[in-house]
Amino acid sequence: MHTHTPASLILNRHTELLNQHTIIFAGDIQDNFAAEFKQSKVLTSQFHHAKRLEKNGIDTVYKAIFDKLDVEHATLLVYYWPKVKEEALFQLTQLLSIVNEQTEILIVGENRVGVRSIENRFNDILTVQKIDTAKRCSLYYAKLNTVPKFDIENYWKSYSLPNGKMHYALPGVFSRDHLDSGSRLLISSFIPEDKHTPKNPKHTLAFLTTPQLKADVLDLCCGAGVIALALHEHFPNLTWTLADSQAQSIESAKRNMNEINLQAKIIASDILSEIEGKFDMIISNPPFHDGKQTDYAITERLISAAPKYLRDFGALRIVANGFLPYETFMQSAFGNVEIIAKNTQFTVYQSVKLR
């Protein structure tokens, strides 16, 4: 028996309508409901969802920005509303700008993440009617009144980092509006004069005392690349690989690295799934929420697999909310763990591959 999200369960009550169409499924798709419709395609900005969908034989396109070829022949767009409203507006506007004007539209999502805002967000573009509600979700039917114009330049947000570098990010990217406290603490743990210098420089590759050091660094769950953006000036000889699952993060990281002329390798990856080779250091500010629920499964996978991707005496350094059990996970995976920096909310942990 298939496990469907509440949003898909409400859609399942309308299969008579769905079966009449060639369907584009898009948005926050977390199950394989699309597989039940032969004439369907999924557009997703989440790499881990794309790999799962492809594995289940579903025609899938992974991108941050979709084009007319991606929606060609579609007569119905089914959009799953994500938890970040700005991301929903970004994705839905671009999709509405490329679908055929006669395309029918279904918009579905959980009430708690704001799907009901569709009732007044697109008044000049869509005629919207709520057609169902169940399982704390709402389903809307819509038709285009006017094809909107979409210009990605209107969706970039920027702010200045403490080092003066500008940070650019698209909707849905973590820390888009300001430098978050966790990343700020993680960045500060690399500053040479920082008072939290680790006790054993050998076990940290002397990162905090030799700015000329040449080393290979992997930033997992990189977001817009804020860590590399902040550290490149201090450590210009590091070779960076940045990885994230979200397509908007990948595009944002590319822009930020171009802005500082840093030739980083930027990869879409489900944690370490697409990573090759070994590194001297892995850095991460990993997510610990799935919607509004605490979920550290991603970080547990990252920590357990990290030793395989580190050279001898290579280090894993992560920042986390202090209540999370990452210190225990790192001790189990590496046999050692050290607190590098700490404040009232966050802790920076480091483990070293000693064998």
Side-chain angles (χ1 to χ4, degrees):
M1 183 176 178
H2 298 293
T3 301
H4 292 320
T5 61
S8 290
L9 289 173
I10 194 172
L11 283 170
N12 195 49
R13 291 153 56 131
H14 299 267
T15 53
E16 184 176 351
L17 170 62
L18 294 169
N19 283 321
Q20 297 173 17
H21 290 279
T22 299
I23 311 170
I24 291 293
F25 290 91
D28 188 22
I29 300 170
Q30 299 186 30
D31 59 22
N32 298 322
F33 181 66
E36 299 181 17
F37 304 92
K38 292 182 179 180
Q39 298 186 73
S40 69
K41 179 192 289 186
V42 172
L43 310 183
T44 180
S45 62
Q46 295 289 347
F47 187 79
H48 58 296
H49 290 329
K51 299 304 286 185
R52 169 182 50 77
L53 292 161
E54 289 172 352
K55 186 177 179 179
N56 284 275
I58 302 169
D59 187 8
T60 305
V61 178
Y62 167 77
K63 287 182 183 178
I65 307 297
F66 302 100
D67 55 49
K68 285 185 177 292
L69 286 177
D70 296 322
V71 298
E72 193 177 23
H73 308 306
T75 59
L76 176 66
L77 169 65
V78 177
Y79 184 75
Y80 286 69
W81 195 271
K83 64 179 180 287
V84 179
K85 190 178 296 184
E86 290 76 15
E87 183 178 16
L89 301 178
F90 168 74
Q91 291 179 338
L92 194 51
T93 300
Q94 63 161 298
L95 290 167
L96 296 177
S97 74
I98 58 176
V99 296
N100 186 286
E101 290 184 50
Q102 303 306 312
T103 301
E104 297 178 56
I105 302 157
L106 292 176
I107 300 164
V108 65
E110 295 185 40
N111 296 329
R112 67 189 176 98
V113 299
V115 67
R116 287 176 291 197
S117 64
I118 193 64
E119 296 174 13
N120 49 42
R121 281 285 183 170
F122 288 89
N123 288 342
D124 55 336
I125 296 170
L126 294 174
T127 299
V128 178
Q129 176 187 2
K130 183 184 285 189
I131 61 171
D132 204 352
T133 179
K135 298 186 179 296
R136 299 179 182 177
C137 292
S138 294
L139 175 64
Y140 295 87
Y141 176 87
K143 290 286 288 185
L144 270 171
N145 297 326
T146 305
V147 176
K149 293 182 179 180
F150 176 80
D151 183 353
I152 192 172
E153 294 304 320
N154 295 330
Y155 292 89
W156 289 103
K157 271 194 176 181
S158 63
Y159 57 85
S160 178
L161 295 177
N163 65 357
K165 304 299 182 184
M166 293 302 297
H167 174 280
Y168 297 90
L170 291 170
V173 176
F174 178 68
S175 201
R176 180 181 182 230
D177 298 312
H178 61 275
L179 180 61
D180 65 285
S181 299
S183 294
R184 183 182 293 273
L185 184 65
L186 181 57
I187 291 164
S188 76
S189 75
F190 288 92
I191 298 174
E193 63 270 21
D194 191 89
K195 66 181 179 180
H196 298 288
T197 303
K199 298 175 183 177
N200 191 337
K202 178 182 179 183
H203 289 175
T204 60
L205 302 168
F207 258 71
L208 305 184
T209 57
T210 56
Q212 290 73 40
L213 179 71
K214 293 183 179 180
D216 296 313
V217 181
L218 169 63
D219 182 0
L220 285 174
C221 310
C222 67
V226 65
I227 305 300
L229 195 61
L231 295 183
H232 177 56
E233 190 172 58
H234 288 287
F235 304 101
N237 295 322
L238 300 181
T239 300
W240 288 89
T241 298
L242 311 182
D244 204 287
S245 179
Q246 187 198 57
Q248 294 100 289
S249 292
I250 296 297
E251 292 303 314
S252 300
K254 287 178 179 178
R255 173 167 182 175
N256 285 321
M257 296 308 100
N258 286 337
E259 292 284 338
I260 60 172
N261 297 313
L262 175 54
Q263 300 299 312
K265 186 176 183 180
I266 303 172
I267 303 171
S269 183
D270 178 11
I271 314 300
L272 289 153
S273 68
E274 309 303 306
I275 304 301
E276 297 178 349
K278 296 201 173 191
F279 300 86
D280 299 300
M281 177 165 274
I282 298 173
I283 302 169
S284 188
N285 181 3
F288 64 93
H289 283 117
D290 182 5
K292 294 186 176 182
Q293 304 298 317
T294 299
D295 184 355
Y296 40 78
I298 288 175
T299 307
E300 189 170 10
R301 286 170 52 202
L302 185 164
I303 292 170
S304 64
K308 299 176 184 177
Y309 293 85
L310 286 167
R311 299 187 177 109
D312 288 345
F313 296 107
L316 169 67
R317 186 179 296 193
I318 66 172
V319 63
N321 199 297
F323 73 85
L324 296 166
Y326 296 168
E327 186 172 9
T328 300
F329 295 161
M330 294 175 76
Q331 180 67 39
S332 176
F334 287 86
N336 66 87
V337 62
E338 182 179 6
I339 292 177
I340 303 296
K342 189 174 184 178
N343 60 26
T344 56
Q345 187 177 3
F346 293 95
T347 303
V348 176
Y349 300 103
Q350 179 164 283
S351 292
V352 179
K353 182 178 178 179
L354 299 176
R355 56 188 184 278

